[in-house]
Amino acid sequence: MAKKKRGLIDRFVMGSEKSEGYARASLPSNRWELGWDIFKGRFSKLFIINLLIILFCLPIFALLVFRYMSILNYGITYPFSQSFGVGYGSLPSMDGAQESIIFLVNLSSYILAPLAFGIAAVGIAGATYVIRNMVWTEGIFVANDFWHGIKKNFKQIAIIMIIYSIVFYLSSISVAMCDRVIATGTDTEWLYIATKVLTYIIIGTFSVMTLHMIVMSVTYDLKLRQLFKNSFIFSFALLPNNAFFIAIALIPFLLLLLDGLFMLIGIVMVFVFGFSLFLLIWVNFCQWSYDKFVNDRIKGAKKNRGIYQKIKSSDSGALKKYKDQLAMAEQTALNSRPVKPITDEELTIAELPTSFSRSDIHKLEQSKQALYDDHERYVEEHTKKDKHEFTEQDKENERLRLEREKRIEKAKRELAKRNKK
């Protein structure tokens, strides 16, 4: 039969993953290969997802620009930016003035952070859901799956992001206040330095917890209390892994801190795939950690989704033999059931007239039931007859069946031992 060609619109909407030529055996065999395979094979989709994330994160970018402009405005209007002695009196000390400006700006501008982060949660909910489906190697349609992810996960992710924005707001005020006190000089300077360090530890830990909570919320059906508990455990239990993968995912953003060509490259990378690549790396890593520590404890949870378990050459022969034996056993069970020949003419299906009533429908059901009962009686009679009249061929077939069952059980035990190894 000739293979039916798929149209351009069909391939665009359904994706190549749902085509007839898509082979599960072509899946990568580990998470590193999976991440690279998604990046090079679905780059256009990652670009679209990145644009959607940027769109919903515009309020956060606007908030950062507003903060920066506020600091510049304070710098222009404060006396230390003007010539002393021309309209301004000399100030006794300007220690801590810059830190005071930052404290006041953070206090007034970041108050809008919960609103900005709540809007960003829309894009994060949809994008994380789509990236998760990519990591599971499911066929996706970006627009449809993005919208489905928003409907399914927005409420929980919005709560997570608003809580994070509050922690971020309080942390920024705390650090700015400590800098101001340290700059003006105090006998208890060590106390404010310790407070500042502690604040950085808190916001850093909560940032990692938030990343874990976002992925958990689109992977499992967990309550908010369970999300906090599990994310806290993963943040500390996998501390080196968390730091490593976050550092890799932040490379496009770290280039923005450099000058010249590197900054230009960083801008292009962030605009094209920076945010979606960050999500891809993080979601892929989280799925690895769930397979290793969580999924074995959850009934019905699937492990290694998107990973193709390659069969060794030593296992292929036993596996083929095992499948052949199963097929033979199923055929034996199917052929052992008697089937009544179609010879009787007294049992027929009642036909419905063009205008039928309830009684006509009742007659149809009765005729169908009569056929079913007649066949069951035939099976029962011949099955009983076979139990009392075993021929030599029947005995030989029974012996072969028992041998096949023994070989199947033996093959199962061998495969179980090899899987454990």
Side-chain angles (χ1 to χ4, degrees), residues 19 21 41 54 66 102 112 143 174 186 243 252 275 334 338 348 358 373 375 378 380 394 418:
S19 65
I54 292 175
F66 174 74
I102 294 176
L112 299 175
S174 175
T186 176
F275 294 96
L334 179 62
T348 58
R358 184 180 298 273
D373 294 340
H375 176 70
Y378 178 87
E380 184 179 0
D394 293 333
R418 291 178 182 178

Side-chain angles (χ1 to χ4, degrees), residues 128-164:
T128 308
Y129 182 80
V130 177
I131 296 292
R132 186 212 67 178
N133 289 347
M134 284 186 178
V135 173
W136 285 0
T137 62
E138 294 183 355
I140 65 167
F141 177 38
V142 175
N144 181 67
D145 286 8
F146 190 86
W147 174 245
H148 184 71
I150 293 173
K151 291 193 296 183
K152 186 176 180 181
N153 305 297
F154 168 70
K155 182 178 179 181
Q156 201 164 36
I157 291 182
I159 295 174
I160 294 171
M161 293 301 295
I162 290 174
I163 294 175
Y164 177 77

Side-chain angles (χ1 to χ4, degrees), residues 336-385:
S336 63
R337 182 176 174 84
V339 179
K340 182 181 179 181
I342 307 175
T343 56
D344 48 343
E345 299 178 356
E346 68 278 3
L347 295 175
T348 58
I349 297 290
E351 296 183 1
L352 289 176
T354 304
S355 299
F356 57 87
S357 61
R358 184 180 298 273
S359 61
D360 295 324
I361 297 176
H362 183 63
K363 290 178 182 179
L364 175 61
E365 293 297 330
Q366 284 181 335
S367 63
K368 290 168 60 177
Q369 186 64 36
L371 278 174
Y372 176 78
D373 294 340
D374 181 70
H375 176 70
E376 291 299 320
R377 283 195 300 270
Y378 178 87
V379 172
E380 184 179 0
E381 291 171 0
H382 286 72
T383 303
K384 288 180 180 180
K385 180 179 179 181

Side-chain angles (χ1 to χ4, degrees), residues 270-290:
V270 169
F271 179 78
V272 175
F273 58 80
F275 294 96
S276 58
L277 178 64
F278 182 94
L279 274 180
L280 174 60
I281 294 174
W282 185 254
V283 172
N284 197 20
F285 159 66
C286 288
Q287 296 303 318
W288 168 84
S289 62
Y290 301 156

